[in-house]
Amino acid sequence: MLKSVVRAVGAAVRVSSATTSTARALPLSCPTLCTPSSATTRPFTRSLWMLSNNGASSGYRPKLFSSKALNPSLSCGCGGLHTEGDKAFGDFLSDEIKEERRIQKNKSLPKMSGGWELEMNGTEAKLTRTVAGEKIAVTFNVNNSIPPNFEEEAEQGQQKPAEEEPEIVSTPNFVVEVTKQAAKHSLVFDCHFPEDEMSHGEGEEESDIFAIREVSFQPEGDTDWKETSYTLNTDSLDWALYDHLMDFLADRGVDNTFADELMELSTAVEHQEYIKFLEDLQGFVKCN
């Protein structure tokens, strides 16, 4: 009898503990965008529903489940699966592509001043110029170049009109490579756009809108950064030396004007690649 009572009490304790653990494990009822866990969270402004008149503001919601979702269509000879969801997805992409083309600022890529020549390889761009026998090359990639924007987090459940949405600007990291004639190594600068230097108020002294993160000598022509070469990190660098490095770049045409034009070029390239991705996605879904 006593053993039965002990077992009953123990079972009740285990049930109570399980209930408490379950209650503690329940997530907060807050949308994911209101508390981003890392910098890799998808920017709120770059969403298929944010920049389209057929997006969330019009009440459109994708159908996650459908009783007819697995009924294939026989109208296409590709042999792939075609569902009603695919058709709705393709129609939505058509509207989204039209909207992106409408708001596209640059139908062709803007030109860089200073005699820079542009070479494109997919999402990677390379700018080159020659100054008094020195070759300067600047490379950047538009992938992951749109900084996140969480201004809307403060007003949950409210969405700004399309005309009030912040402008999407591409701010890619870029690498500057300076090569002298008959030199076996190039001086390479790893640069980026700090968020706190992107804008300046009235009366504020103009500062550099880009910064040097690392400097290193690398074998000429190598595309990969060799970790065996000494790399100078500028986080704890003497400011006098850092200023001389920035002046070194400015004397070779890599200054604030160049950085502004690079952002404009990168933004145009990123938008073109985004539209091309949507077109490829539409063709894949609709099997065109």
Side-chain angles (χ1 to χ4, degrees), residues 71-89:
N71 290 340
S73 170
L74 301 179
S75 60
C76 179
C78 70
L81 177 66
H82 297 284
T83 68
E84 292 183 1
D86 292 346
K87 183 180 183 303
F89 191 13

Side-chain angles (χ1 to χ4, degrees), residues 2-287:
L2 180 59
K3 291 183 180 180
S4 300
V5 173
V6 172
R7 289 172 183 172
V9 172
V13 170
R14 285 194 295 272
V15 171
S16 176
S17 300
T19 304
T20 303
S21 301
T22 304
R24 291 176 180 174
L26 289 177
L28 297 176
S29 57
C30 177
T32 302
L33 286 174
C34 74
T35 54
S37 58
S38 66
T40 58
T41 304
R42 185 176 179 86
F44 189 61
T45 53
R46 172 50 63 84
S47 168
L48 293 179
W49 290 272
M50 285 298 299
L51 298 179
S52 171
N53 293 330
N54 295 329
S57 60
S58 63
Y60 173 83
R61 292 294 184 274
K63 295 182 179 179
L64 298 180
F65 303 98
S66 174
S67 60
K68 300 180 180 180
L70 296 179
N71 290 340
S73 170
L74 301 179
S75 60
C76 179
C78 70
L81 177 66
H82 297 284
T83 68
E84 292 183 1
D86 292 346
K87 183 180 183 303
F89 191 13
D91 293 340
F92 172 77
L93 288 172
S94 296
D95 294 337
E96 183 67 17
I97 292 170
K98 291 178 182 178
E99 177 65 14
E100 291 295 331
R101 286 175 177 169
R102 185 187 67 80
I103 65 176
Q104 188 177 14
K105 287 187 174 182
N106 298 291
K107 304 304 180 182
S108 59
L109 297 181
K111 300 291 184 181
M112 297 283 294
S113 62
W116 293 91
E117 296 183 3
L118 174 64
E119 179 183 345
M120 293 298 305
N121 181 22
T123 59
E124 184 177 88
K126 183 175 183 179
L127 296 164
T128 56
R129 67 178 298 203
T130 301
V131 179
E134 287 186 3
K135 180 182 177 182
I136 300 96
V138 180
T139 57
F140 63 91
N141 196 310
V142 300
N143 283 334
N144 303 312
S145 65
I146 303 296
N149 189 325
F150 300 109
E151 292 181 356
E152 286 80 4
E153 294 175 15
E155 300 178 1
Q156 299 180 22
Q158 297 183 7
Q159 182 176 319
K160 294 181 179 180
E163 59 272 11
E164 296 182 12
E165 285 297 324
E167 182 180 359
I168 294 179
V169 178
S170 172
T171 56
N173 299 335
F174 60 96
V175 174
V176 183
E177 182 179 355
V178 180
T179 306
K180 293 181 177 289
Q181 291 181 344
K184 295 182 179 180
H185 294 81
S186 300
L187 185 59
V188 182
F189 300 79
D190 181 13
C191 304
H192 67 114
F193 291 95
E195 293 184 9
D196 56 349
E197 298 292 343
M198 293 304 299
S199 61
H200 307 283
E202 293 184 7
E204 293 185 6
E205 183 180 356
E206 182 181 0
S207 60
D208 298 310
I209 63 175
F210 73 97
I212 302 172
R213 181 185 285 116
E214 294 177 339
V215 186
S216 178
F217 280 106
Q218 296 291 328
E220 180 186 359
D222 279 15
T223 56
D224 296 329
W225 189 289
K226 291 188 178 298
E227 299 296 337
T228 54
S229 299
Y230 177 78
T231 299
L232 178 66
N233 191 297
T234 61
D235 288 343
S236 57
L237 190 65
D238 177 74
W239 277 106
L241 176 55
Y242 182 84
D243 287 342
H244 280 297
L245 291 172
M246 291 294 291
D247 291 340
F248 179 87
L249 290 179
D251 291 340
R252 286 151 180 81
V254 182
D255 52 13
N256 274 357
T257 300
F258 172 85
D260 273 328
E261 294 180 356
L262 186 145
M263 283 193 295
E264 182 181 359
L265 172 63
S266 180
T267 300
V269 172
E270 197 278 339
H271 201 182
Q272 283 190 0
E273 291 296 321
Y274 178 61
I275 293 175
K276 182 178 181 298
F277 172 82
L278 293 180
E279 292 173 340
D280 292 342
L281 181 59
Q282 180 190 36
F284 186 85
V285 171
K286 300 181 71 173
C287 193

